[in-house]
Amino acid sequence: MITAAGSITAPHIEYGRLAPILIVLGAAAVGVLIEAFVSRAYRYWTQVLVSLVGLVAAFVWTLVMGISHTPHHVAALGAIGVDGPTLFIQGTILVLALMSLLLIAERRHEPSPFTAQASSVPGTAEERESLVAGIIQTEVFPLMLFAVGGMLIFPAANDLLTMFVALEVLSLPLYLLCGLARRRRLLSQEAAVKYFLLGAFSSAFFLYGTALLYGFAGSVRLSDIQTAISQKGGMDAMLLAGVALLGVGLLFKMGAAPFQVWKPDVYQGAPTAITALMASCTLVSAVGGILRVFYVGFETLRWDWRPVMWAVAILTMVLGAVVAITQTDVKRMLAYSSIAHGGFLLTGVIATNKAGLSSTLFYLAAYGFTTVGAFAVITMVRDAGGEAWHLSRWAGLGKRQPVLAGTFAFFLLAFAGIPLTSGFTGKFAVFQAAVAGGATPLVIVGVLSSAIAAFFYVRVIVLMFFSDPAADGPAVVLSPTSTTAVAVGALATVVLGVVPGPALHLAQSAASQFFVR
């Protein structure tokens, strides 16, 4: 690669900085070839092995880059930033993707959590024949890897066009995956269509905002946009309109109010393994993108966007906590819980200081582990027709399966922010950073929202342990992969709550380098 000064840098260094992304996308490409050339009899385990090796190799390379202090560089002609916060976010995404892969690869509950043949119309003879034949939809593995590859690029993108491409790469596979549920297929397909249509609108907002910012700054690179703001001032109508439209696209992807309407329907209709992937990895990637855009591109404009972000954070926290109380579907309840947690994350973003950045990074990791663990529990509680999605079916679960119910209760208490859980440490960190950043009223709203949210978490716990189980209550189907995901989630929730020091130090070390420009 030839630099602006005319010197030549070694190509292997460039590839080395991009290696985690290239490994995941390469594994996805191999998965496509497996679909084309490997016999159906061997396809499933081959896809699982390739996905597992790809994600592990990418995580190990990310870890090596962090340890060897190679961050704080740009790669791909300046389109990708490699820095401490980005490596922390990418490492978190890869670990959570590995946990989600365990749920996607699950076969103990039924042949597969995904429909046997996506093209078959629900309820037709063709669908019944494919189910009887035991056909397994193995295309989900390369689709998942393409989505994860996009998630890795999104928070690392150093210019808006690269970020837009990453947004599409992570979104398009998820639109497909949401519609592949084996059970309640019409609901799953409805969720996919809603997600696709609303996602297309948000992408249009993002791209239009990018065009306006290019018209203002003459560049789509975040550092150039910041320089133009410093030189021209922040009162240009084209600039403010571009920031607003770009913000809509970013806030939609994380499910912040008032752009959250897709989240409950999609979480409910998608296969639970894909819901776990979106609730953890997609949220981490989206918040990482928001941090980079607003901390690098719009840093000098923070007195203009912070008041708007205040309103979004308050609305997100209150709406998520209040509406969750009315839910009777366990996945919809966790969807509104995710919306509320998005508001807590925005509290850390609004702090606009290194403490806010480090606390947000820690919160993302803590919430991700707990979320995947909670959805893994949901995959184990099953009726004759599939997962026991209605909360009434969970009555008395603690008397029949005390260990599993106790683990789920522990995850709910972590969501509520009870001391000695990762949720408490994460909320305390972002609230402390927000107070230091002058956002004390926002913290008060956050504490009140947490108190409201605790009600519906405790309601589920009371239902599981203080209600009599029904005679025809759901069964608990244990499996090695789901049990491993639950165990890892529970262990991380305990460790990050009881001994949070090392993880907090790691997040602070990553944030101390700040984002490369």
Side-chain angles (χ1 to χ4, degrees):
M1 186 185 88
I2 302 176
T3 64
S7 60
I8 301 176
T9 60
H12 71 274
I13 298 178
E14 180 85 0
Y15 291 134
R17 295 170 186 169
L18 298 173
I21 298 170
L22 296 177
I23 290 172
V24 172
L25 293 179
V30 171
V32 173
L33 295 177
I34 291 171
E35 289 298 316
F37 298 109
V38 175
S39 169
R40 187 181 293 275
Y42 305 102
R43 197 178 295 166
Y44 174 82
W45 289 112
T46 306
Q47 291 282 25
V48 172
L49 180 62
V50 168
S51 301
L52 184 64
V53 170
L55 292 174
V56 170
F59 175 72
V60 170
W61 197 288
T62 303
L63 199 62
V64 169
M65 290 175 66
I67 294 174
S68 60
H69 304 290
T70 56
H72 220 70
H73 297 284
V74 292
L77 300 177
I80 300 294
V82 182
D83 45 51
T86 300
L87 290 179
F88 188 97
I89 290 168
Q90 289 179 335
T92 302
I93 291 171
L94 290 167
V95 173
L96 298 177
L98 279 167
M99 293 177 64
S100 301
L101 177 64
L102 295 176
L103 303 183
I104 293 173
E106 177 57 59
R107 293 186 64 182
R108 180 67 62 87
H109 304 152
E110 47 193 351
S112 170
F114 302 92
T115 182
Q117 195 168 349
S119 60
S120 61
V121 178
T124 60
E126 183 185 8
E127 182 189 41
R128 289 191 294 271
E129 290 171 2
S130 60
L131 290 173
V132 172
I135 298 174
I136 298 176
Q137 195 88 20
T138 52
E139 294 92 337
V140 297
F141 295 102
L143 286 174
M144 174 213 172
L145 289 175
F146 277 121
V148 173
M151 294 173 194
L152 296 178
I153 300 173
F154 192 71
N158 223 22
D159 66 67
L160 296 178
L161 278 184
T162 303
M163 184 170 282
F164 175 75
V165 172
L167 178 65
E168 297 306 298
V169 171
L170 77 89
S171 298
L172 292 175
L174 291 178
Y175 299 152
L176 295 174
L177 291 170
C178 287
L180 298 181
R182 193 178 190 87
R183 308 284 183 172
R184 300 198 289 176
R185 284 200 63 202
L186 287 176
L187 186 66
S188 177
Q189 292 176 353
E190 178 188 349
V193 171
K194 287 180 178 178
Y195 193 22
F196 169 70
L197 292 177
L198 293 175
F201 277 113
S202 73
S203 296
F205 278 113
F206 186 99
L207 195 57
Y208 194 19
T210 299
L212 291 177
L213 289 170
Y214 178 79
F216 168 78
S219 172
V220 292
R221 184 160 296 183
L222 295 175
S223 57
D224 293 340
I225 293 173
Q226 187 213 4
T227 302
I229 295 173
S230 300
Q231 293 174 349
K232 300 179 183 180
M235 298 306 295
D236 189 284
M238 187 177 293
L239 168 66
L240 297 177
V243 172
L245 292 172
L246 192 70
V248 169
L250 292 169
L251 292 171
F252 172 88
K253 187 50 65 177
M254 73 170 291
F259 315 109
Q260 86 299 337
V261 290
W262 62 273
K263 215 168 194 180
D265 292 337
V266 173
Y267 278 29
Q268 180 187 20
T272 302
I274 301 304
T275 304
L277 178 71
M278 291 192 297
S280 55
C281 298
T282 304
L283 180 67
V284 173
S285 180
V287 174
I290 289 174
L291 286 169
R292 179 173 289 277
V293 168
F294 283 92
Y295 277 37
V296 177
F298 305 146
E299 181 186 18
T300 54
L301 204 63
R302 61 181 178 271
W303 296 114
D304 293 286
W305 61 258
R306 278 188 72 188
V308 178
M309 201 69 81
W310 268 59
V312 171
I314 291 173
L315 182 61
T316 303
M317 288 186 288
V318 174
L319 185 144
V322 172
V323 180
I325 296 174
T326 66
Q327 302 304 308
T328 57
D329 185 294
V330 64
K331 289 170 72 174
R332 289 184 71 90
M333 182 194 74
L334 291 183
Y336 280 104
S337 169
S338 174
I339 292 170
H341 282 279
F344 301 140
L345 286 163
L346 289 177
T347 303
V349 174
I350 290 169
T352 58
N353 52 37
K354 288 188 177 181
L357 177 58
S358 65
S359 61
T360 303
L361 295 177
F362 177 86
Y363 198 119
L364 287 171
Y367 176 75
F369 280 111
T370 306
T371 297
V372 178
F375 281 108
V377 172
I378 293 175
T379 65
M380 297 181 177
V381 183
R382 307 185 70 83
D383 280 325
E387 295 162 359
W389 54 271
H390 201 280
L391 282 175
S392 62
R393 303 295 293 161
W394 291 62
L397 183 66
K399 298 180 180 180
R400 291 185 289 108
Q401 295 288 340
V403 175
L404 187 69
T407 304
F408 190 65
F410 178 65
F411 288 140
L412 294 178
L413 292 175
F415 287 140
I418 301 301
L420 299 182
T421 66
S422 59
F424 172 80
T425 308
K427 287 183 180 179
F428 182 83
V430 295
F431 288 165
Q432 186 180 45
V435 169
T440 302
L442 190 61
V443 173
I444 295 173
V445 175
V447 172
L448 294 176
S449 299
S450 297
I452 296 171
F455 171 78
F456 61 83
Y457 295 131
V458 173
R459 182 186 64 175
V460 178
I461 295 173
V462 170
L463 183 69
M464 290 192 297
F465 288 95
F466 298 98
S467 299
D468 294 326
D472 61 342
V476 173
V477 183
L478 301 177
S479 68
T481 55
S482 297
T483 303
T484 301
V486 172
V488 172
L491 179 63
T493 303
V494 171
V495 171
L496 296 179
V498 178
V499 193
L504 283 171
H505 176 73
L506 182 63
Q508 290 166 356
S509 176
S512 66
Q513 300 181 39
F514 218 63
F515 290 106
V516 68
R517 299 179 186 276

